[in-house]
Amino acid sequence: MEDNLPSFQKLSHHRCRLRGTIPNEIGMLSKLDISNNYLSGHLPFSLANLTSLEFLGIYNNSMNGSIPFVELGNLKNLSATYLHKNLFSGSIPSSVGFLTHIKELALSRNQITGSTPSELGNLKNLESLLLGWNSFSGPIPSSICVLTHLTALHLFGNQTHRIHSARNMKSEKSGIFEPCLELSGNQLTGFILSEIRNLKNLEYLNLSSNGFSCPLLLRFKYFRFFRFCISDEMNPVS
């Protein structure tokens, strides 16, 4: 992409075969969508200057390096961030908690490692959290259980091994993890399902490719799932 771009409020170059890196100066945008291209390099720290930015879409490129969560946290109008299907690496720092206005955060299919930070619980407006197909490890923090607007949690294809303090889960009219809870392809075992079954409005639950066994199905005989996957023979949803 070229430097010194003209002044736009919305820039959408979706599937335009763009190559190169994202320039440091890209104007004062409310929407930046440069997804499905061939872009590479790091996300510039200058994104913090886009104080009117509401939508950031850079998915399905070859972007790499760490994600500048501190700078993104300065964007008080940012409600949707789609960075999935890239080559981002490193861990998610505690500064992710600065994204207090975010509603949709998609980081799946990258190379992100480390634990899932408890500061995600600060994102009170979060509706969709997509972290699948990375290399997260450790427990899923209980702080996620207080995100009452969350309707989709995708953690499939990681190495998480339990939901920490799962008893904090509860079902409300707009309860957590409803209608979609996707935890396939991890290392989950134990008795977390006694808490998950309280989510009466759950429509989709995928626990396949974990350490559970078939008798677990008996605990869900009163559920009305749109789809329930537990067998290791069923493939995770992409």
Side-chain angles (χ1 to χ4, degrees):
M1 294 181 65
E2 297 180 359
D3 289 309
N4 300 319
L5 292 176
S7 177
F8 296 109
Q9 288 188 339
K10 297 181 180 181
L11 180 61
S12 181
H13 285 341
H14 191 80
R15 296 183 184 276
C16 291
R17 299 184 179 181
L18 296 177
R19 299 180 182 274
T21 60
I22 299 176
N24 289 322
E25 301 296 331
I26 51 179
M28 295 301 294
L29 302 171
S30 62
K31 177 180 180 179
L32 175 60
D33 185 2
I34 46 178
S35 304
N36 289 302
N37 285 291
Y38 302 99
L39 298 172
S40 58
H42 295 191
L43 280 180
F45 292 143
S46 58
L47 284 175
N49 298 326
L50 304 181
T51 54
S52 299
L53 193 65
E54 300 174 4
F55 180 98
L56 178 61
I58 313 180
Y59 62 87
N60 200 18
N61 281 284
S62 297
M63 303 295 297
N64 55 59
S66 59
I67 299 171
F69 285 104
V70 173
E71 287 72 20
L72 294 179
N74 293 327
L75 305 179
K76 302 305 181 184
N77 295 306
L78 187 62
S79 62
T81 301
Y82 298 101
L83 302 178
H84 53 292
K85 294 187 178 180
N86 278 285
L87 301 172
F88 291 117
S89 58
S91 60
I92 298 181
S94 59
S95 55
V96 70
F98 297 150
L99 298 172
T100 54
H101 291 78
I102 201 79
K103 293 183 179 179
E104 299 178 3
L105 180 60
L107 304 176
S108 55
R109 295 184 182 274
N110 280 286
Q111 300 173 6
I112 303 173
T113 59
S115 60
T116 310
S118 60
E119 287 78 9
L120 286 169
N122 297 335
L123 311 185
K124 305 301 184 183
N125 297 305
L126 196 62
E127 299 175 0
S128 176
L129 178 59
L130 310 182
L131 302 177
W133 293 119
N134 282 285
S135 296
F136 290 108
S137 58
I140 301 171
S142 59
S143 59
I144 292 181
C145 299
V146 302
L147 299 176
T148 55
H149 296 288
L150 195 64
T151 59
L153 173 64
H154 289 191
L155 275 168
F156 54 84
N158 283 285
Q159 301 172 38
T160 52
H161 57 78
R162 65 190 174 99
I163 296 181
H164 184 65
S165 298
R167 63 181 178 274
N168 292 331
M169 291 183 178
K170 58 184 179 179
S171 180
E172 300 177 0
K173 185 175 182 180
S174 298
I176 62 171
F177 307 157
E178 300 181 27
C180 176
L181 176 56
E182 169 57 273
L183 296 173
S184 64
N186 283 282
Q187 299 175 12
L188 294 171
T189 59
F191 300 97
I192 65 168
L193 297 185
S194 60
E195 285 78 21
I196 292 178
R197 68 181 179 183
N198 292 326
L199 305 178
K200 303 301 183 183
N201 296 316
L202 195 63
E203 296 179 2
Y204 179 93
L205 173 62
N206 192 345
L207 296 171
S208 62
S209 300
N210 277 287
F212 300 119
S213 57
C214 289
L216 209 54
L217 287 169
L218 297 176
R219 300 186 185 186
F220 292 87
K221 62 183 178 180
Y222 298 112
F223 269 59
R224 297 180 179 178
F225 289 120
F226 173 74
R227 185 179 179 189
F228 176 45
C229 302
I230 191 171
S231 171
D232 288 349
E233 297 177 359
M234 303 190 76
N235 294 321
V237 177
S238 59

